[in-house]
């Protein structure tokens, strides 16, 4: 796939990226800004969000941040309102905030189950709810949810809570896509495979252990770079994908092929 900035040079307007302070979210924010969009990043940590904003501005882009916990409806609503008030519209929303979880199904502590489902499913749904309300007023918009190859596409042991949450994100994406395309709102997902962020290191592993594991497991022989996931997100969000609706694009180096 070509670099995001060349694939989507026609992008305009404002994008909101949740979990935009780190990993895939930061790469998506940087790529959307490079493609020509104003970007607002959200998350719970001011310092990491400010770092993303600084990186975008240093490259000549326009960016700002707003603090929001995706599990708190009022905070999500405020974040969406802030984007619309600050820049006039919400054209692209990337719902990327997520949490991992490890453990056999019967061993997952109930509190952890609630937390993972709360952030990954309810958080994604709350973001979509307020983004869609804004996009309905505009009669246009594009939403990309960051799901996972684990869930709808493949199952592995010790990740049932995470897999359940991401299967729900993939299904929510496709259901809502059918509901809103007639209103001008295009909804898709990207389902990454193991990607070089903090989340891809399993408990008890060193980064070197992780590299050995993925070289064995992944047909491509390596992790994805966050920028490679971002390129897929930007393409789906862009006018180049205008007729792509309810797609869940797996980007996993052949793992689930
Ligand atoms: N890395 C992988 O191998 C991989 C593979 C498949 C899918 N994914 C998905 O990709 C997405 C990004 O993950 P990543 O790998 O980039 O890991 P990451 O660097 O840990 O990013 C997760 C982001 O989510 C934010 N977040 C977590 N809970 C939140 C909450 N309650 N409210 C708002 N923001 C919250 C975090 O920011 P704060 O903590 O500052 O709020 C952080 O910026 C996730 O949805 C993940 O499931 C990752």
């Amino acid at each position: 796939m070509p670099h995001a900035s060349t694939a989507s040079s026609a992008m305009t307007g404002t994008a909101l990226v949740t979990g935009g302070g780190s990993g895939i979210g930061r790469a998506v924010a940087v790529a959307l800004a490079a493609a020509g969009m104003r970007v607002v990043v959200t998350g719970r940590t001011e310092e990491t969000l400010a770092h993303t904003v600084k990186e975008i501005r240093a490259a000549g882009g326009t960016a700002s941040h707003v603090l929001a916990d995706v599990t708190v409806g009022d905070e999500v609503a405020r974040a969406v309102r802030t984007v619309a008030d600050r820049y006039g519209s919400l054209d692209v929303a990337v719902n990327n905030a997520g949490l991992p979880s490890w453990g056999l199904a019967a061993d997952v502590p109930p509190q952890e189950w609630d937390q993972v489902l709360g952030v990954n499913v309810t958080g994604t749904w709350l973001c979509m709810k307020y983004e869609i309300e804004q996009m309905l007023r505009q009669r246009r918009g594009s939403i990309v949810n960051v799901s996972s190859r684990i869930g709808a596409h493949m199952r592995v042991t010790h990740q049932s809570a995470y897999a359940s949450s991401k299967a729900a994100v993939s299904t929510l994406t496709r259901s809502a896509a059918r509901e809103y395309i007639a209103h001008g709102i295009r909804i898709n997902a990207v389902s990454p495979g193991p990607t070089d962020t903090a989340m891809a290191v399993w408990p008890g592993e060193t980064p070197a252990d992780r590299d050995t594991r993925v070289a064995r497991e992944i047909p491509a022989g390596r992790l994805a770079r966050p920028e490679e996931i971002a390129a897929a997100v930007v393409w789906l969000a862009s006018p180049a994908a205008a007729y792509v609706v309810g797609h869940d694009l797996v980007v996993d180096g052949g793992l689930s092929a």
Side-chain angles (χ1 to χ4, degrees):
M1 187 176 289
H3 186 273
S5 58
T6 54
S8 318
S9 50
M11 293 183 80
T12 55
T14 307
L16 176 68
V17 182
T18 75
S22 64
I24 292 170
R26 176 172 293 170
V28 167
V30 168
L32 286 168
M37 299 201 79
R38 295 179 292 254
V39 176
V40 179
V41 284
T42 81
R44 298 165 302 174
T45 312
E46 179 116 47
E47 194 186 343
T48 56
L49 296 172
H51 180 118
T52 302
V53 168
K54 196 171 160 194
E55 187 177 336
I56 291 173
R57 288 181 181 167
T62 302
S64 58
H65 73 272
V66 53
L67 285 173
D69 182 325
V70 294
T71 64
V72 181
D74 288 350
E75 294 188 18
V76 176
R78 185 173 53 83
V80 171
R81 217 171 33 245
T82 301
V83 173
D85 291 349
R86 212 176 265 173
Y87 299 111
S89 62
L90 173 65
D91 303 284
V92 166
V94 180
N95 299 316
N96 158 81
L99 282 185
S101 167
W102 283 272
L104 295 171
D107 297 342
V108 179
Q111 197 187 354
E112 181 170 325
W113 176 273
D114 287 345
Q115 190 186 24
V116 171
L117 275 284
V119 173
N120 295 0
V121 186
T122 310
T124 301
W125 167 73
L126 275 172
C127 290
M128 290 176 75
K129 170 178 166 52
Y130 293 107
E131 292 156 2
I132 288 168
E133 285 178 10
Q134 172 62 29
M135 288 174 177
L136 283 172
R137 285 193 282 277
Q138 308 165 178
R139 292 199 63 79
R140 69 169 198 283
S142 174
I143 295 176
V144 181
N145 293 327
V146 178
S147 188
S148 175
R149 54 109 196 181
I150 295 173
H153 310 283
M154 65 185 289
R155 270 66 51 196
V156 296
T157 62
H158 295 83
Q159 294 207 40
S160 12
Y162 183 76
S164 303
S165 73
K166 290 298 188 175
V169 170
S170 292
T171 299
L172 172 61
T173 301
R174 299 181 73 171
S175 301
R178 293 185 75 102
E179 292 172 345
Y180 291 102
I181 188 59
H183 300 275
I185 304 169
R186 210 162 49 76
I187 304 176
N188 291 285
V190 167
S191 281
T195 305
D196 194 5
T197 72
M199 199 181 282
V201 181
W202 289 38
E205 268 188 341
T206 64
D209 295 336
R210 189 256 334 250
D211 290 348
T212 307
R213 172 172 59 79
V214 299
R216 197 177 53 237
E217 286 175 354
I218 303 176
R222 64 171 178 84
L223 295 163
R225 289 182 290 111
E227 292 75 16
E228 291 173 309
I229 306 303
V233 172
V234 173
W235 177 74
L236 273 178
S238 77
Y243 202 63
V244 182
V245 177
H247 191 64
D248 184 1
L249 178 56
V250 177
V251 184
D252 70 352
L255 197 49
S256 59

